[in-house]
Amino acid sequence: MPDTGQTALLDRAGLDALVAALTADGRTVVGPTVRDGAVVLAELDGADALPWGWGTELEAGRYRLVRRDDGAAFAHTSGPQSWKSFLHPQREKLWDVDRDAAGELTVCPARNEPPSYAFLGVRPCDLRAIAIQDRVLAGGHFRDDGYAERRSGAFLIAAECTEPGATCFCVSMGSGPAAEAGFDLALTELIDTGGHRFLVRAGSAEGARILDRVPSEKGDTTTSDAARSAVDAARDRMGRAMPPMDLRALLGASPEAERWDDVAARCLTCGNCTMVCPTCFCTTTEEVTDLTGDHAERWQRWDSCFDLDFSYLHGGPVRASARSRYRQWLTHKLSTWHDQFDSTGCVGCGRCITWCPVGIDITEEVNALAEEARS
Amino acid sequence: MSTVPVPYRVIDRWDETRDTITLRLDPVGEPLAPFAPGRFAMVYAFGVGEIPVSVSSIPTDGGVAHTIRAVGAVSEALCRKRVGDAVGLRGPFGTGWQLETARGQDLVVVAGGIGLAPLRPLIRRVVADPRAYGRVNVLVGARTPADLVSRVEIRRWATAYTGVTVDHPGAYWRGEIGLVTRLLDGAQFDPGQATAFVCGPEPMIRATARDLVHRGVAADRVRVSLERNMRCATGHCGHCQLGPVLLCRDGPVIGFDRAEPLMRTREL
Ligand SMILES: Cc1cc2nc3c(=O)[nH]c(=O)nc-3n(C[C@H](O)[C@H](O)[C@H](O)COP(=O)(O)OP(=O)(O)OC[C@H]3O[C@@H](n4cnc5c(N)ncnc54)[C@H](O)[C@@H]3O)c2cc1C
Ligand code: SF4
Ligand code: SF4
């Protein structure tokens, strides 16, 4: 998507007007909001619902909301959800089947009118994650129609990162903290002597059209420069890093590494890391029948490669050990994903580190594998 | 490509062995695109589920046949289907054997157990067009004589060599006994000019493919058909990964040059 070059400045009221304009267009606006002690993604009825004045403190296996006195709306980092909850939902009906008295089957694809989403506050790492799921689910020979429909109608408003979290490593993965492409609008939040405001860049014709309908000031170079340096500063404050090397080659050459036994001794194979990961796409299917026995539904739901059943093949799972399942997950993320989909499967959002109940840290594991490969 | 199962009707059904049957299916309405040997369908049993099954026959008058071994919920439900019953099909999926790349070559077709089913449409094409290929060898292994599929048809195929062996012979077996790899000694082929097609349990595939490569057949000319759990067959569910390979999309038939290192890694 080309950067149309159009920039503007919004204040809090302007952001609210943007939400109102999108809602008026019939869009469901989804963005971050504080709920149950976390920043979650939910439908927003206005910009007031954003987490103004909330930040997050993250560590491996730990997440906490903290108050900020600067009132920032986008100073929090990745929460437990990602946008895949909306584009690639946890459960989705695939088809309905009816069997008539003669035993004939009538199969109907389950196609609901997809909501027309506007996502407000998509982090650059998550923008990349959406682009990766686009490749996986809509970029191959077969297309996941439900995903493709929801995705093609979605309007993306990025929020660049100026406050990276302690588990973030987007710089290592080349996916942040700046938003470079794949958005309709990109916001950079600025709080300085010039006040609390948002620099907005349009990244698509539709983004520019919406921006025209919102009261704003013209962007100036001083503000643009301030925004650039705030994002550049974030680049130097990443909480974590991958070893600076070809990760695809490293993982490709490590199937028998001893480190897998080490991590397997800690991993609970709970699958949390796969649920929170914005690129993990795996699903399984379920057959549901009603009481008459003449109506059946086929459902798809998220699945995890940590589940024993995931690799089940008559008689038992192919990947029985925790070692082989953690290895599958990490090797897929960083190596075989390239073979399968021509991109990495990790964007450095840090969610898997934050939400692992035992604090397993993907960057620490990869650094250990790199160390083992060197020795 | 239809994303939902297309209704097919069972127009014929016969037992292959005590736990394996063949269903001959005709489309109720519009058919799926034509199948090629080695490709597969997702076969849907109403109210139970959907499983990957290779095409075991591609009748010239349309329709398709699947040979199914009852091992669990869905395969058992499919094996209980009777003439007139309906099933759903999605497909065709997968790479297939790509027999066309073996024209002029000696062929070594090796099947273990129900692995003969996905090879049957290939063998039928070959024996119907003998001048297109060099010497044709069909090697079949099964656990017991009762586990042999297509028993009668095997003997009718005109080949340079047909061998059948079983692990556990029982009282009335008078043929070969032992692993299917033993039959390679009887097969007639020039390793430098041969293409092999191998399907069966994984240990059998590995042993056979290694032996063929050992005898001088190029690893990429040894085509093996592999199995992994599959939920969607469209490359989206993630279940059929074998390292870098998505078996529903890049397989199930792949060259042993690719398969060998992947099969060597335990629990991949
Ligand atoms: C490409 C391909 C071609 C196949 N061709 C044939 C064929 O021609 N004839 C035949 O009888 N069988 C074939 N199979 C195997 C067949 O798909 C399994 O036997 C079947 O999935 C078992 O499902 P179930 O519900 O009966 O058994 P369960 O044991 O109850 O299976 C539980 C679940 O695990 C999965 N599963 C179990 N075993 C396998 C397996 N071997 N492969 C894939 N998924 C599995 C199924 O999706 C199933 O829903 C093929 C498999 C693949 C991948
Ligand atoms: S790495 Fe952590 S989150 Fe992932 S399966 Fe293991 S214990 Fe669960
Ligand atoms: S693997 Fe971890 S850091 Fe990478 S994208 Fe997934 S959740 Fe984020």
Side-chain angles (χ1 to χ4, degrees):
Chain A
M1 235 176 283
D3 194 323
T4 65
Q6 186 184 347
T7 64
L9 283 176
L10 297 182
D11 55 11
R12 185 164 171 162
L15 207 52
D16 202 47
L18 176 61
V19 174
L22 291 163
T23 309
D25 280 357
R27 291 187 180 276
T28 303
V29 181
V30 180
T33 192
V34 172
R35 194 173 285 174
D36 303 327
V39 175
V40 301
L41 300 176
E43 200 173 327
L44 304 180
D45 49 13
D48 277 350
L50 291 168
W52 302 97
W54 286 104
T56 44
E57 257 179 31
L58 312 180
E59 244 325 308
R62 184 158 170 276
Y63 178 97
R64 201 159 68 91
L65 284 184
V66 286
R67 268 282 168 205
R68 297 174 61 94
D69 30 9
D70 62 0
F74 296 108
H76 56 88
T77 38
S78 303
Q81 290 160 299
S82 69
W83 308 95
K84 82 172 176 185
S85 304
F86 299 91
L87 294 175
H88 184 45
Q90 204 147 16
R91 268 175 72 76
E92 184 178 8
K93 200 204 281 184
L94 296 177
W95 64 72
D96 287 282
V97 198
D98 286 295
R99 183 170 59 183
D100 67 16
E104 298 291 348
L105 302 182
T106 311
V107 191
C108 293
R111 235 347 74 70
N112 308 317
E113 188 66 25
S116 167
Y117 284 122
F119 294 157
L120 172 60
V122 185
R123 297 304 187 176
C125 59
D126 282 349
L127 267 186
R128 179 67 63 81
I130 292 171
I132 289 172
Q133 288 213 326
D134 287 351
R135 297 185 80 94
V136 173
L137 298 173
H141 180 63
F142 297 108
R143 206 176 66 141
D144 177 331
D145 289 332
Y147 177 88
E149 277 170 30
R150 288 183 293 272
R151 176 65 181 93
S152 68
F155 185 92
L156 305 186
I157 307 170
E160 294 194 297
C161 281
T162 51
E163 285 285 332
T167 56
C168 291
F169 57 101
C170 63
V171 167
S172 293
M173 303 316 293
S175 56
E180 268 143 25
F183 54 82
D184 294 292
L185 294 174
L187 309 176
T188 318
E189 185 171 33
L190 285 165
I191 307 174
D192 55 21
T193 48
H196 188 171
R197 59 217 195 283
F198 302 88
L199 177 74
V200 192
R201 284 180 289 145
S204 72
E206 192 176 7
R209 259 197 310 280
I210 288 279
L211 196 52
D212 275 341
R213 287 166 45 199
V214 176
S216 65
E217 284 179 38
K218 269 210 116 26
D220 56 79
T221 49
T222 327
T223 322
S224 298
D225 291 349
R228 278 311 95 215
S229 45
V231 174
D232 281 343
R235 199 180 300 277
D236 302 327
R237 300 206 324 270
M238 284 292 128
R240 281 170 160 73
M242 284 290 194
M245 63 195 298
D246 181 345
L247 301 177
R248 178 186 186 178
L250 171 68
L251 271 292
S254 301
E256 306 300 350
E258 281 171 16
R259 183 69 183 185
W260 302 123
D261 293 318
D262 186 281
V263 65
R266 289 171 280 133
C267 175
L268 312 174
T269 65
C270 67
N272 268 14
C273 46
T274 56
M275 298 293 117
V276 297
C277 177
T279 67
C280 274
F281 58 86
C282 292
T283 51
T284 186
T285 40
E286 284 168 358
E287 185 81 1
V288 180
T289 44
D290 72 1
L291 286 175
T292 67
D294 291 325
H295 179 78
E297 295 175 356
R298 193 88 179 143
W299 285 77
Q300 168 181 294
R301 65 167 171 79
W302 288 355
D303 202 0
S304 171
C305 55
F306 282 94
D307 197 293
L308 261 185
D309 274 345
F310 188 88
S311 63
Y312 185 86
L313 211 56
H314 44 62
V318 172
R319 295 182 211 102
S321 67
R323 176 186 192 274
S324 67
R325 282 177 273 155
Y326 189 86
R327 179 183 67 186
Q328 163 64 25
W329 180 70
L330 192 58
T331 307
H332 190 213
K333 286 277 146 210
L334 298 175
S335 187
T336 50
W337 204 294
H338 287 279
D339 299 293
Q340 296 165 5
F341 305 111
D342 250 335
S343 91
T344 177
C346 175
V347 298
C349 72
R351 284 184 179 88
C352 56
I353 307 172
T354 309
W355 299 96
C356 174
V358 292
I360 291 172
D361 175 347
I362 183 173
T363 64
E364 188 185 324
E365 296 314 316
V366 175
N367 277 294
L369 286 166
E371 190 59 42
E372 186 176 336
R374 267 195 296 273
S375 62
Chain B
M1 157 68 205
S2 173
T3 51
V4 301
V6 170
Y8 272 65
R9 192 177 291 114
V10 179
I11 59 156
D12 198 0
R13 174 204 188 279
W14 59 90
D15 293 333
E16 295 278 351
T17 71
R18 62 199 146 74
D19 61 2
T20 304
I21 56 107
T22 295
L23 297 178
R24 169 85 160 78
L25 304 170
D26 260 3
V28 173
E30 278 297 301
L32 295 172
F35 282 78
R39 302 195 76 189
F40 68 98
M42 290 299 280
V43 186
Y44 173 69
F46 175 80
V48 189
E50 203 189 27
I51 57 168
V53 187
S54 303
V55 52
S56 72
S57 166
I58 308 164
T60 44
D61 56 350
V64 63
H66 290 290
T67 299
I68 303 167
R69 180 163 163 234
V71 297
V74 182
S75 53
E76 276 164 15
L78 290 169
C79 286
R80 280 195 302 269
K81 295 289 176 205
R82 298 284 169 253
V83 171
D85 285 352
V87 300
L89 289 190
R90 292 191 295 130
F93 297 115
T95 44
W97 295 111
Q98 292 171 323
L99 177 61
E100 59 291 349
T101 62
R103 289 182 88 83
Q105 298 243 313
D106 289 342
L107 305 186
V108 187
V109 182
V110 191
I114 195 180
L116 183 58
L119 287 164
R120 191 160 48 195
L122 174 135
I123 299 169
R124 286 186 182 159
R125 273 200 190 166
V126 169
V127 296
D129 188 14
R131 268 176 305 189
Y133 308 94
R135 288 165 292 179
V136 178
N137 301 272
V138 175
L139 286 52
V140 180
R143 264 185 315 129
T144 73
D147 291 309
L148 278 168
V149 298
S150 301
R151 278 184 89 151
V152 181
E153 190 177 351
I154 292 172
R155 296 290 167 200
R156 285 207 303 261
W157 287 326
T159 62
Y161 172 76
T162 295
V164 181
T165 179
V166 298
D167 301 334
H168 308 289
Y172 304 104
W173 182 253
R174 267 184 272 125
E176 301 272 348
I177 300 166
L179 297 178
V180 74
T181 41
R182 292 188 34 178
L183 300 177
L184 283 173
D185 287 335
Q188 301 169 27
F189 61 100
D190 169 0
Q193 295 295 321
T195 300
F197 303 97
V198 187
C199 188
E202 240 175 83
M204 169 267 168
I205 292 181
R206 279 179 76 185
T208 308
R210 279 185 180 162
D211 205 329
L212 284 160
V213 170
H214 198 70
R215 286 166 196 254
V217 183
D220 64 337
R221 290 225 155 254
V222 178
R223 311 251 165 84
V224 302
S225 182
L226 300 178
E227 266 180 45
R228 280 296 176 269
N229 192 309
M230 280 180 198
R231 316 303 317 187
C232 73
T234 53
H236 301 140
C237 79
H239 283 256
C240 69
Q241 292 177 68
L242 177 64
V245 175
L246 282 177
L247 270 182
C248 77
R249 182 190 76 180
D250 312 324
V253 179
I254 60 174
F256 195 59
D257 53 328
R258 280 189 96 189
E260 202 276 335
L262 304 175
M263 295 175 88
R264 203 175 343 120
T265 308
R266 284 195 53 225
E267 294 192 286
L268 194 67

